[in-house]
Amino acid sequence: MNTPRTDKIPYGGDYNPEQWPEPVWDEDHRLFDQARIDTLTVGVFSWSLTQPAEDAYDFTVLDRILERAAAEGRRVCLATGTAALPPWLALAYPEVNRTDFEGRRHGYGQRHNFCPSSPAYRRLCTAIAGRLAERYSDHPALLAWHINNEYGGACYCDLCAAAFRTWLREQYVTLDALNDAWCTTFWSHRFTDWYEIEPPNALTEHWRGPDHTAFQGITLDYHRFMTDALLGCFRAEKEAIRRHDAETPVTTNFMGMYRPLDYHRWAPHLDFASWDSYPPLDAPPTMAALGHDLMRGLKDGAPFWLMEQTPSTTACRDVNPLRRPGELRLATWQAVAHGADAALYFQMRASRGACEKYHGAVIGHAGRDDTRVFREVAEVGRELEELGSVALGARTPARTALLFDWDSWWALEISDGPSRLVRYQQVVHAYYRAARESGADVDVVPVTADLTSYDVVLAPALHMVKGDLATRLEAVAARGGTVLTTFLSGRVDEHDNAFLTDVPGPLADLMGVRVDEWDSRPADVINPVLLGTGDEALRTDGRLVFEIVLPQGAEPVGTYQADFYAGTPAVTRHSFGESGGEGWYVATALDQPGVDWVVRRVLARHGLVGPYAEYSSVETACRTAPDGTPLFFLLNHAPEAVSVTAHATAVDLLTGKEVERGEPLTLDPCGVSVLRLQ
């Protein structure tokens, strides 16, 4: 790992001083001092400023920005500025502009507007990245490199078509292998020449939009190709930087659960992970937490940077609610609790114009230091400063893993049947939420991860099973662990072809079930499910997909209560191996109380239900500092105070107060405690 070297959690955010006259900079830095701002992300959209023409570079303004930061004792995360083309580039090289899903070549405008297969874009973006690295690699303010910004989107132009064919040749080598993988004998699509292959879009294989495709194999591969094409742009810029700067860490800012790009394919090429957290403000706290844990899992549990969050409100949605008092502090500490080693905002000063002029900022248009938002930002800065280096580099000692797989996400949602109403992200979040609200720390990991350290592996909606994954999941249960999976799991191989065996395919032996039929119904149709017996029984609801399960050694834990399959299993448990391992199978989309019931029982058999699980609004998280010190975070997401009983003797690092085990501990509304356990 090559992570930025700091003596505390970096605090600050995106700063675009080129938008204002220099006298404003003086006021900005005065206010930065008040708010304990020590880190600035600069140059994110500066390409047209630093390169006003193809044969001209001008670093005058950027020089002054970095010199001023250094003079003020602040560090800089320096962006290459290549996320938005300068107008001259798009006009000189029209092929740089993207072609959309409907086949329309776009003119200049917006951002993320470049074709990743364009030689002109690749040549010019690496040239500016190299020039920046050559000029600033030894600058005292430089802390990290920030390549591009929020990579995303897709292109369907002729350049991408040619690059796609090259990519396919490398993947499949022969047309026979490709035709077999894509099942092209269906509908007479068998290809006899590579040049017959066109990108899957509205003019070729698709109907009713990007998720409706006649051939899932080609669409799935185009997702993979576009992920790799954009990654190629990142890698080219990183290589250009490395020719002049061999040490400064390099990253780009991800967007959490962002469907278009498989971040697991990117992870090895980043020195450290970073992301921009903008969850809907009416989403449960576990939605942002899942994004944090996903980012932490990209680099084998290493800390990540929270590169952006809003200090108050967003501007890109139809309705943009304001963060209530205390919510900014709570969100920042939640990120730290889940592994963030930096807390940065977008934006430091509100933009004067264009589409983000109403986006929240640390400093508003009037430049005041007496606003509620500025005061809250300053208070968080004070707390992070007082915390010092205690949490830097701390890791999460999780014994529960949740598998997150972009291939399964894509394959499930482009599938014709059983139900287009099933959304991968929602299913995964339901099981993650159940585990987190039970007090378990969760590592969100790829399907290729080493699973030997986990007692529980949650694999909801594991639609695609690749390589030796089934064997590795069986090994978890064989040594006494528990594996849980759900409906629509184990259905297809890496090419999205159905397994020619009983459902759930390679997972059948572990789960001890066979599924011959499945019933898909509209969202308003429910089938009651009875979970458990006696005092612990819960009557809950299943929706969307109802798989009809034939036990093959598994025992029913919950049963359907209606329709012709009433009384058949909806949830099963299967003993596996000689060490007491289990495989749990959930055959329908249970509502959240039902998911909670199942997951809590899975966790309980391994002693993983946390000491504060009875407090519905209190989130907990653990990090272990590099010196072995355990840090325990308590976050109250309720608008009212909550009193809990301390589970251990500790010192609250935010207040200095000592807490004895068994003593009451009060968390204010949106309150936070960071406990150093004794």
Side-chain angles (χ1 to χ4, degrees), residues 178-402:
L178 178 144
N179 281 311
D180 182 65
W182 289 358
C183 196
T184 56
T185 51
F186 180 79
W187 281 1
S188 190
H189 270 44
R190 189 166 185 83
F191 295 104
T192 57
D193 194 293
W194 295 99
Y195 291 98
E196 296 168 356
I197 300 171
E198 296 289 340
N201 59 28
L203 303 179
T204 58
E205 299 295 357
H206 280 259
W207 52 280
R208 269 181 55 192
D211 283 348
H212 296 73
T213 176
F215 280 80
Q216 283 75 32
I218 188 173
T219 298
L220 181 64
D221 272 342
Y222 204 74
H223 284 311
R224 292 164 172 162
F225 158 72
M226 194 52 61
T227 286
D228 287 350
L230 287 165
L231 173 58
C233 295
F234 170 86
R235 294 180 65 184
E237 287 196 46
K238 184 177 180 182
E239 289 169 6
I241 289 171
R242 284 287 176 251
R243 285 193 284 271
H244 304 282
D245 184 347
E247 296 183 357
T248 305
V250 176
T251 192
T252 189
N253 49 337
F254 289 155
M255 292 178 282
M257 290 177 286
Y258 178 64
R259 199 182 86 156
L261 297 185
D262 181 349
Y263 289 150
H264 290 134
R265 297 170 84 101
W266 286 61
H269 306 286
L270 273 66
D271 292 326
F272 65 102
S274 65
W275 83 293
D276 301 346
S277 179
Y278 294 104
L281 295 188
D282 59 352
T286 46
M287 186 62 76
L290 175 52
H292 293 317
D293 287 347
L294 176 62
M295 294 299 105
R296 191 183 73 242
L298 293 179
K299 301 296 288 184
D300 298 321
F304 60 91
W305 272 30
L306 176 59
M307 189 67 78
E308 292 184 24
Q309 66 168 333
T310 179
S312 56
T313 183
T314 56
C316 58
R317 295 164 175 150
D318 291 342
V319 177
N320 298 275
L322 179 66
R323 276 184 159 161
R324 270 47 188 169
E327 289 182 352
L328 163 65
R329 175 176 181 259
L330 184 61
T332 302
W333 281 111
Q334 182 189 45
V336 174
H338 284 265
D341 263 8
L344 309 179
Y345 300 107
F346 182 88
Q347 50 193 333
M348 298 310 301
R349 178 181 277 270
S351 299
R352 294 175 61 202
C355 63
E356 290 177 332
K357 65 180 178 292
Y358 293 132
H359 195 289
V362 174
I363 304 168
H365 294 125
R368 304 185 66 89
D369 64 359
D370 60 353
T371 65
R372 177 182 66 84
V373 170
F374 185 87
R375 289 195 300 268
E376 289 197 19
V377 169
E379 176 60 18
V380 173
R382 181 193 65 77
E383 290 182 333
L384 289 172
E385 192 172 82
E386 291 183 356
L387 187 70
S389 63
V390 173
L392 278 177
R395 289 185 171 246
T396 300
R399 292 164 53 199
T400 300
L402 181 139

Side-chain angles (χ1 to χ4, degrees), residues 9 54 70 248 339 397 454 523 548 576 585 592:
I9 291 174
E54 183 170 357
T248 305
Y454 300 108
I548 302 173
F576 187 89
Y585 193 79
Q592 192 63 52

Side-chain angles (χ1 to χ4, degrees), residues 335-464:
V336 174
H338 284 265
D341 263 8
L344 309 179
Y345 300 107
F346 182 88
Q347 50 193 333
M348 298 310 301
R349 178 181 277 270
S351 299
R352 294 175 61 202
C355 63
E356 290 177 332
K357 65 180 178 292
Y358 293 132
H359 195 289
V362 174
I363 304 168
H365 294 125
R368 304 185 66 89
D369 64 359
D370 60 353
T371 65
R372 177 182 66 84
V373 170
F374 185 87
R375 289 195 300 268
E376 289 197 19
V377 169
E379 176 60 18
V380 173
R382 181 193 65 77
E383 290 182 333
L384 289 172
E385 192 172 82
E386 291 183 356
L387 187 70
S389 63
V390 173
L392 278 177
R395 289 185 171 246
T396 300
R399 292 164 53 199
T400 300
L402 181 139
L403 301 188
F404 194 99
D405 182 42
W406 265 270
D407 279 342
S408 285
W409 191 352
W410 293 332
L412 180 64
E413 296 189 4
I414 64 174
S415 177
D416 278 350
S419 173
R420 289 195 177 276
L421 301 181
V422 176
R423 312 308 292 175
Y424 178 81
Q425 191 176 18
Q426 293 175 4
V427 178
V428 168
H429 174 253
Y431 284 83
Y432 173 86
R433 178 177 182 174
R436 293 291 304 128
E437 291 183 349
S438 294
D441 287 300
V442 180
D443 283 346
V444 180
V445 299
V447 294
T448 54
D450 181 358
L451 303 176
T452 56
S453 64
Y454 300 108
D455 296 323
V456 172
V457 176
L458 305 175
L462 187 63
H463 195 61
M464 181 179 292

Side-chain angles (χ1 to χ4, degrees), residues 519-595:
D519 188 16
S520 175
R521 305 299 297 276
D524 60 350
V525 175
I526 64 171
N527 191 320
V529 173
L530 181 64
L531 296 169
T533 59
D535 293 340
E536 69 166 14
L538 174 70
R539 190 179 180 88
T540 188
D541 292 329
R543 300 176 188 272
L544 303 183
V545 175
F546 309 96
E547 294 181 339
I548 302 173
V549 173
L550 301 173
Q552 307 291 293
E555 60 175 309
V557 175
T559 54
Y560 295 117
Q561 300 296 294
D563 218 309
F564 75 91
Y565 40 90
T568 66
V571 180
T572 60
R573 176 176 55 207
H574 180 226
S575 296
F576 187 89
E578 299 178 357
S579 299
E582 293 183 348
W584 284 63
Y585 193 79
V586 182
T588 184
L590 296 175
D591 62 12
Q592 192 63 52
V595 175

